[in-house]
Every structure is written in C-alpha cells, then in structure tokens.
PDB file of all heavy atoms in Angstrom:
ATOM      1  N   ALA A   1      -6.049  -3.368 -10.209  1.00  0.00           N
ATOM      2  CA  ALA A   1      -6.034  -3.135 -11.650  1.00  0.00           C
ATOM      3  C   ALA A   1      -4.633  -3.176 -12.256  1.00  0.00           C
ATOM      4  O   ALA A   1      -4.480  -3.508 -13.425  1.00  0.00           O
ATOM      5  CB  ALA A   1      -6.681  -1.785 -11.958  1.00  0.00           C
ATOM      6  N   LYS A   2      -3.615  -2.823 -11.478  1.00  0.00           N
ATOM      7  CA  LYS A   2      -2.273  -2.701 -12.037  1.00  0.00           C
ATOM      8  C   LYS A   2      -1.397  -3.886 -11.638  1.00  0.00           C
ATOM      9  O   LYS A   2      -1.104  -4.081 -10.456  1.00  0.00           O
ATOM     10  CB  LYS A   2      -1.610  -1.401 -11.572  1.00  0.00           C
ATOM     11  CG  LYS A   2      -0.295  -1.140 -12.254  1.00  0.00           C
ATOM     12  CD  LYS A   2       0.269   0.209 -11.893  1.00  0.00           C
ATOM     13  CE  LYS A   2       1.578   0.409 -12.632  1.00  0.00           C
ATOM     14  NZ  LYS A   2       2.237   1.639 -12.269  1.00  0.00           N
ATOM     15  N   LYS A   3      -0.999  -4.670 -12.639  1.00  0.00           N
ATOM     16  CA  LYS A   3      -0.103  -5.795 -12.379  1.00  0.00           C
ATOM     17  C   LYS A   3       1.055  -5.759 -13.371  1.00  0.00           C
ATOM     18  O   LYS A   3       0.977  -5.109 -14.414  1.00  0.00           O
ATOM     19  CB  LYS A   3      -0.845  -7.125 -12.462  1.00  0.00           C
ATOM     20  CG  LYS A   3      -1.384  -7.470 -13.818  1.00  0.00           C
ATOM     21  CD  LYS A   3      -2.073  -8.819 -13.779  1.00  0.00           C
ATOM     22  CE  LYS A   3      -2.520  -9.219 -15.158  1.00  0.00           C
ATOM     23  NZ  LYS A   3      -3.110 -10.534 -15.189  1.00  0.00           N
ATOM     24  N   LEU A   4       2.123  -6.455 -13.040  1.00  0.00           N
ATOM     25  CA  LEU A   4       3.299  -6.471 -13.896  1.00  0.00           C
ATOM     26  C   LEU A   4       3.085  -7.366 -15.106  1.00  0.00           C
ATOM     27  O   LEU A   4       2.523  -8.456 -14.987  1.00  0.00           O
ATOM     28  CB  LEU A   4       4.515  -6.968 -13.113  1.00  0.00           C
ATOM     29  CG  LEU A   4       4.995  -6.073 -11.986  1.00  0.00           C
ATOM     30  CD1 LEU A   4       6.136  -6.748 -11.247  1.00  0.00           C
ATOM     31  CD2 LEU A   4       5.432  -4.728 -12.513  1.00  0.00           C
ATOM     32  N   LYS A   5       3.551  -6.927 -16.242  1.00  0.00           N
ATOM     33  CA  LYS A   5       3.483  -7.719 -17.466  1.00  0.00           C
ATOM     34  C   LYS A   5       4.692  -8.649 -17.519  1.00  0.00           C
ATOM     35  O   LYS A   5       5.710  -8.381 -16.869  1.00  0.00           O
ATOM     36  CB  LYS A   5       3.489  -6.794 -18.676  1.00  0.00           C
ATOM     37  CG  LYS A   5       2.264  -5.928 -18.748  1.00  0.00           C
ATOM     38  CD  LYS A   5       2.319  -5.017 -19.942  1.00  0.00           C
ATOM     39  CE  LYS A   5       1.077  -4.141 -19.959  1.00  0.00           C
ATOM     40  NZ  LYS A   5       1.076  -3.208 -21.072  1.00  0.00           N
ATOM     41  N   PRO A   6       4.607  -9.725 -18.287  1.00  0.00           N
ATOM     42  CA  PRO A   6       5.766 -10.620 -18.397  1.00  0.00           C
ATOM     43  C   PRO A   6       6.995  -9.879 -18.935  1.00  0.00           C
ATOM     44  O   PRO A   6       6.945  -9.264 -19.995  1.00  0.00           O
ATOM     45  CB  PRO A   6       5.295 -11.676 -19.395  1.00  0.00           C
ATOM     46  CG  PRO A   6       3.819 -11.693 -19.240  1.00  0.00           C
ATOM     47  CD  PRO A   6       3.441 -10.258 -18.969  1.00  0.00           C
ATOM     48  N   SER A   7       8.052  -9.891 -18.166  1.00  0.00           N
ATOM     49  CA  SER A   7       9.300  -9.220 -18.517  1.00  0.00           C
ATOM     50  C   SER A   7      10.306  -9.467 -17.401  1.00  0.00           C
ATOM     51  O   SER A   7      10.041 -10.197 -16.457  1.00  0.00           O
ATOM     52  CB  SER A   7       9.057  -7.722 -18.695  1.00  0.00           C
ATOM     53  OG  SER A   7      10.216  -7.102 -19.189  1.00  0.00           O
ATOM     54  N   ARG A   8      11.463  -8.806 -17.481  1.00  0.00           N
ATOM     55  CA  ARG A   8      12.475  -8.850 -16.432  1.00  0.00           C
ATOM     56  C   ARG A   8      12.362  -7.584 -15.609  1.00  0.00           C
ATOM     57  O   ARG A   8      12.129  -6.499 -16.140  1.00  0.00           O
ATOM     58  CB  ARG A   8      13.865  -8.931 -17.037  1.00  0.00           C
ATOM     59  CG  ARG A   8      14.104 -10.198 -17.769  1.00  0.00           C
ATOM     60  CD  ARG A   8      15.474 -10.172 -18.383  1.00  0.00           C
ATOM     61  NE  ARG A   8      15.682 -11.364 -19.192  1.00  0.00           N
ATOM     62  CZ  ARG A   8      16.731 -11.574 -19.924  1.00  0.00           C
ATOM     63  NH1 ARG A   8      17.693 -10.681 -19.988  1.00  0.00           N
ATOM     64  NH2 ARG A   8      16.842 -12.680 -20.617  1.00  0.00           N
ATOM     65  N   TYR A   9      12.548  -7.717 -14.286  1.00  0.00           N
ATOM     66  CA  TYR A   9      12.411  -6.584 -13.386  1.00  0.00           C
ATOM     67  C   TYR A   9      13.536  -6.574 -12.372  1.00  0.00           C
ATOM     68  O   TYR A   9      14.156  -7.589 -12.091  1.00  0.00           O
ATOM     69  CB  TYR A   9      11.070  -6.646 -12.646  1.00  0.00           C
ATOM     70  CG  TYR A   9       9.895  -6.456 -13.556  1.00  0.00           C
ATOM     71  CD1 TYR A   9       9.254  -7.549 -14.130  1.00  0.00           C
ATOM     72  CD2 TYR A   9       9.425  -5.190 -13.855  1.00  0.00           C
ATOM     73  CE1 TYR A   9       8.171  -7.377 -14.978  1.00  0.00           C
ATOM     74  CE2 TYR A   9       8.345  -5.007 -14.695  1.00  0.00           C
ATOM     75  CZ  TYR A   9       7.726  -6.107 -15.252  1.00  0.00           C
ATOM     76  OH  TYR A   9       6.680  -5.930 -16.091  1.00  0.00           O
ATOM     77  N   LYS A  10      13.761  -5.407 -11.793  1.00  0.00           N
ATOM     78  CA  LYS A  10      14.719  -5.233 -10.704  1.00  0.00           C
ATOM     79  C   LYS A  10      13.954  -4.617  -9.542  1.00  0.00           C
ATOM     80  O   LYS A  10      13.280  -3.589  -9.696  1.00  0.00           O
ATOM     81  CB  LYS A  10      15.858  -4.312 -11.126  1.00  0.00           C
ATOM     82  CG  LYS A  10      16.856  -4.049 -10.030  1.00  0.00           C
ATOM     83  CD  LYS A  10      17.951  -3.114 -10.528  1.00  0.00           C
ATOM     84  CE  LYS A  10      18.938  -2.777  -9.446  1.00  0.00           C
ATOM     85  NZ  LYS A  10      19.938  -1.814  -9.920  1.00  0.00           N
ATOM     86  N   LEU A  11      14.049  -5.226  -8.373  1.00  0.00           N
ATOM     87  CA  LEU A  11      13.376  -4.756  -7.171  1.00  0.00           C
ATOM     88  C   LEU A  11      14.412  -4.151  -6.246  1.00  0.00           C
ATOM     89  O   LEU A  11      15.450  -4.756  -5.991  1.00  0.00           O
ATOM     90  CB  LEU A  11      12.683  -5.932  -6.467  1.00  0.00           C
ATOM     91  CG  LEU A  11      12.132  -5.673  -5.084  1.00  0.00           C
ATOM     92  CD1 LEU A  11      10.919  -4.764  -5.183  1.00  0.00           C
ATOM     93  CD2 LEU A  11      11.760  -6.972  -4.420  1.00  0.00           C
ATOM     94  N   THR A  12      14.131  -2.960  -5.741  1.00  0.00           N
ATOM     95  CA  THR A  12      15.001  -2.309  -4.770  1.00  0.00           C
ATOM     96  C   THR A  12      14.195  -2.064  -3.506  1.00  0.00           C
ATOM     97  O   THR A  12      13.117  -1.473  -3.561  1.00  0.00           O
ATOM     98  CB  THR A  12      15.551  -0.975  -5.310  1.00  0.00           C
ATOM     99  OG1 THR A  12      16.238  -1.221  -6.536  1.00  0.00           O
ATOM    100  CG2 THR A  12      16.501  -0.336  -4.328  1.00  0.00           C
ATOM    101  N   VAL A  13      14.707  -2.538  -2.373  1.00  0.00           N
ATOM    102  CA  VAL A  13      14.023  -2.416  -1.083  1.00  0.00           C
ATOM    103  C   VAL A  13      14.852  -1.518  -0.177  1.00  0.00           C
ATOM    104  O   VAL A  13      16.065  -1.680  -0.080  1.00  0.00           O
ATOM    105  CB  VAL A  13      13.840  -3.798  -0.424  1.00  0.00           C
ATOM    106  CG1 VAL A  13      13.177  -3.674   0.925  1.00  0.00           C
ATOM    107  CG2 VAL A  13      13.060  -4.724  -1.330  1.00  0.00           C
ATOM    108  N   ARG A  14      14.166  -0.599   0.485  1.00  0.00           N
ATOM    109  CA  ARG A  14      14.831   0.283   1.446  1.00  0.00           C
ATOM    110  C   ARG A  14      13.864   0.509   2.604  1.00  0.00           C
ATOM    111  O   ARG A  14      12.726   0.907   2.401  1.00  0.00           O
ATOM    112  CB  ARG A  14      15.174   1.611   0.803  1.00  0.00           C
ATOM    113  CG  ARG A  14      15.772   2.592   1.800  1.00  0.00           C
ATOM    114  CD  ARG A  14      16.057   3.900   1.169  1.00  0.00           C
ATOM    115  NE  ARG A  14      17.347   3.765   0.504  1.00  0.00           N
ATOM    116  CZ  ARG A  14      17.937   4.749  -0.131  1.00  0.00           C
ATOM    117  NH1 ARG A  14      17.356   5.908  -0.245  1.00  0.00           N
ATOM    118  NH2 ARG A  14      19.113   4.556  -0.696  1.00  0.00           N
ATOM    119  N   ALA A  15      14.332   0.264   3.811  1.00  0.00           N
ATOM    120  CA  ALA A  15      13.513   0.481   5.007  1.00  0.00           C
ATOM    121  C   ALA A  15      13.747   1.891   5.530  1.00  0.00           C
ATOM    122  O   ALA A  15      14.855   2.405   5.483  1.00  0.00           O
ATOM    123  CB  ALA A  15      13.877  -0.534   6.077  1.00  0.00           C
ATOM    124  N   THR A  16      12.665   2.514   6.033  1.00  0.00           N
ATOM    125  CA  THR A  16      12.748   3.835   6.644  1.00  0.00           C
ATOM    126  C   THR A  16      12.162   3.744   8.039  1.00  0.00           C
ATOM    127  O   THR A  16      11.039   3.270   8.214  1.00  0.00           O
ATOM    128  CB  THR A  16      11.962   4.874   5.823  1.00  0.00           C
ATOM    129  OG1 THR A  16      12.445   4.868   4.487  1.00  0.00           O
ATOM    130  CG2 THR A  16      12.121   6.257   6.405  1.00  0.00           C
ATOM    131  N   GLY A  17      12.914   4.168   9.033  1.00  0.00           N
ATOM    132  CA  GLY A  17      12.461   4.114  10.418  1.00  0.00           C
ATOM    133  C   GLY A  17      11.553   5.279  10.769  1.00  0.00           C
ATOM    134  O   GLY A  17      11.380   6.226   9.996  1.00  0.00           O
ATOM    135  N   ALA A  18      10.964   5.212  11.963  1.00  0.00           N
ATOM    136  CA  ALA A  18      10.077   6.274  12.432  1.00  0.00           C
ATOM    137  C   ALA A  18      10.825   7.587  12.579  1.00  0.00           C
ATOM    138  O   ALA A  18      10.238   8.668  12.453  1.00  0.00           O
ATOM    139  CB  ALA A  18       9.449   5.877  13.759  1.00  0.00           C
ATOM    140  N   ASP A  19      12.136   7.519  12.824  1.00  0.00           N
ATOM    141  CA  ASP A  19      12.940   8.726  12.963  1.00  0.00           C
ATOM    142  C   ASP A  19      13.524   9.185  11.627  1.00  0.00           C
ATOM    143  O   ASP A  19      14.431   9.986  11.582  1.00  0.00           O
ATOM    144  CB  ASP A  19      14.053   8.503  13.978  1.00  0.00           C
ATOM    145  CG  ASP A  19      14.929   7.314  13.612  1.00  0.00           C
ATOM    146  OD1 ASP A  19      14.615   6.625  12.624  1.00  0.00           O
ATOM    147  OD2 ASP A  19      15.926   7.089  14.309  1.00  0.00           O
ATOM    148  N   ARG A  20      13.002   8.655  10.520  1.00  0.00           N
ATOM    149  CA  ARG A  20      13.373   9.019   9.143  1.00  0.00           C
ATOM    150  C   ARG A  20      14.747   8.522   8.713  1.00  0.00           C
ATOM    151  O   ARG A  20      15.248   8.929   7.680  1.00  0.00           O
ATOM    152  CB  ARG A  20      13.285  10.525   8.912  1.00  0.00           C
ATOM    153  CG  ARG A  20      11.946  11.121   9.173  1.00  0.00           C
ATOM    154  CD  ARG A  20      11.070  10.896   8.003  1.00  0.00           C
ATOM    155  NE  ARG A  20       9.807  11.608   8.216  1.00  0.00           N
ATOM    156  CZ  ARG A  20       8.743  11.355   7.539  1.00  0.00           C
ATOM    157  NH1 ARG A  20       8.758  10.452   6.600  1.00  0.00           N
ATOM    158  NH2 ARG A  20       7.642  12.011   7.778  1.00  0.00           N
ATOM    159  N   ARG A  21      15.412   7.689   9.507  1.00  0.00           N
ATOM    160  CA  ARG A  21      16.678   7.106   9.068  1.00  0.00           C
ATOM    161  C   ARG A  21      16.385   6.016   8.052  1.00  0.00           C
ATOM    162  O   ARG A  21      15.400   5.295   8.169  1.00  0.00           O
ATOM    163  CB  ARG A  21      17.447   6.511  10.252  1.00  0.00           C
ATOM    164  CG  ARG A  21      17.943   7.562  11.211  1.00  0.00           C
ATOM    165  CD  ARG A  21      18.831   6.975  12.259  1.00  0.00           C
ATOM    166  NE  ARG A  21      18.203   5.810  12.861  1.00  0.00           N
ATOM    167  CZ  ARG A  21      18.860   4.815  13.447  1.00  0.00           C
ATOM    168  NH1 ARG A  21      20.157   4.860  13.553  1.00  0.00           N
ATOM    169  NH2 ARG A  21      18.223   3.803  13.954  1.00  0.00           N
ATOM    170  N   ARG A  22      17.239   5.905   7.035  1.00  0.00           N
ATOM    171  CA  ARG A  22      17.036   4.922   5.973  1.00  0.00           C
ATOM    172  C   ARG A  22      18.128   3.868   5.997  1.00  0.00           C
ATOM    173  O   ARG A  22      19.280   4.163   6.274  1.00  0.00           O
ATOM    174  CB  ARG A  22      17.056   5.600   4.613  1.00  0.00           C
ATOM    175  CG  ARG A  22      15.869   6.457   4.355  1.00  0.00           C
ATOM    176  CD  ARG A  22      15.957   7.024   2.966  1.00  0.00           C
ATOM    177  NE  ARG A  22      14.706   7.633   2.592  1.00  0.00           N
ATOM    178  CZ  ARG A  22      14.480   8.143   1.414  1.00  0.00           C
ATOM    179  NH1 ARG A  22      15.420   8.144   0.499  1.00  0.00           N
ATOM    180  NH2 ARG A  22      13.316   8.665   1.135  1.00  0.00           N
ATOM    181  N   SER A  23      17.733   2.660   5.635  1.00  0.00           N
ATOM    182  CA  SER A  23      18.720   1.591   5.510  1.00  0.00           C
ATOM    183  C   SER A  23      19.369   1.670   4.137  1.00  0.00           C
ATOM    184  O   SER A  23      18.913   2.393   3.257  1.00  0.00           O
ATOM    185  CB  SER A  23      18.043   0.228   5.672  1.00  0.00           C
ATOM    186  OG  SER A  23      17.186  -0.020   4.571  1.00  0.00           O
ATOM    187  N   ALA A  24      20.418   0.907   3.970  1.00  0.00           N
ATOM    188  CA  ALA A  24      21.048   0.817   2.648  1.00  0.00           C
ATOM    189  C   ALA A  24      20.103   0.056   1.716  1.00  0.00           C
ATOM    190  O   ALA A  24      19.465  -0.908   2.131  1.00  0.00           O
ATOM    191  CB  ALA A  24      22.380   0.091   2.760  1.00  0.00           C
ATOM    192  N   PRO A  25      19.979   0.473   0.469  1.00  0.00           N
ATOM    193  CA  PRO A  25      19.099  -0.244  -0.454  1.00  0.00           C
ATOM    194  C   PRO A  25      19.663  -1.621  -0.807  1.00  0.00           C
ATOM    195  O   PRO A  25      20.863  -1.807  -0.926  1.00  0.00           O
ATOM    196  CB  PRO A  25      19.045   0.658  -1.684  1.00  0.00           C
ATOM    197  CG  PRO A  25      20.222   1.541  -1.582  1.00  0.00           C
ATOM    198  CD  PRO A  25      20.588   1.644  -0.149  1.00  0.00           C
ATOM    199  N   VAL A  26      18.753  -2.583  -0.952  1.00  0.00           N
ATOM    200  CA  VAL A  26      19.102  -3.941  -1.351  1.00  0.00           C
ATOM    201  C   VAL A  26      18.314  -4.244  -2.620  1.00  0.00           C
ATOM    202  O   VAL A  26      17.116  -3.998  -2.683  1.00  0.00           O
ATOM    203  CB  VAL A  26      18.755  -4.960  -0.242  1.00  0.00           C
ATOM    204  CG1 VAL A  26      19.048  -6.365  -0.693  1.00  0.00           C
ATOM    205  CG2 VAL A  26      19.498  -4.621   1.030  1.00  0.00           C
TER     206      VAL A  26
END
C-alpha cells in the first residue's frame, strides 16, 4: 500500500551485524 511519490529522496544504508556492531552509514 505504501509507495514513494514523485520527488527527490536521500537513502541512507547502514548494516548491523549479529553482534550489534554497525557499519558507517552510506
């Protein structure tokens, strides 16, 4: 039901390991 409307967006990706350590956001 929920999709993005036409516009500009910024995506931030961050990985989290099983031991709860996080990568730097990209």
Side-chain angles (χ1 to χ4, degrees):
K2 187 174 181 184
K3 65 179 184 176
L4 294 176
K5 295 179 181 179
S7 187
R8 294 178 184 175
Y9 293 93
K10 178 181 178 183
L11 170 71
T12 303
V13 178
R14 176 182 277 182
T16 304
D19 56 356
R20 302 279 186 197
R21 292 187 311 155
R22 290 183 168 184
S23 68
V26 177

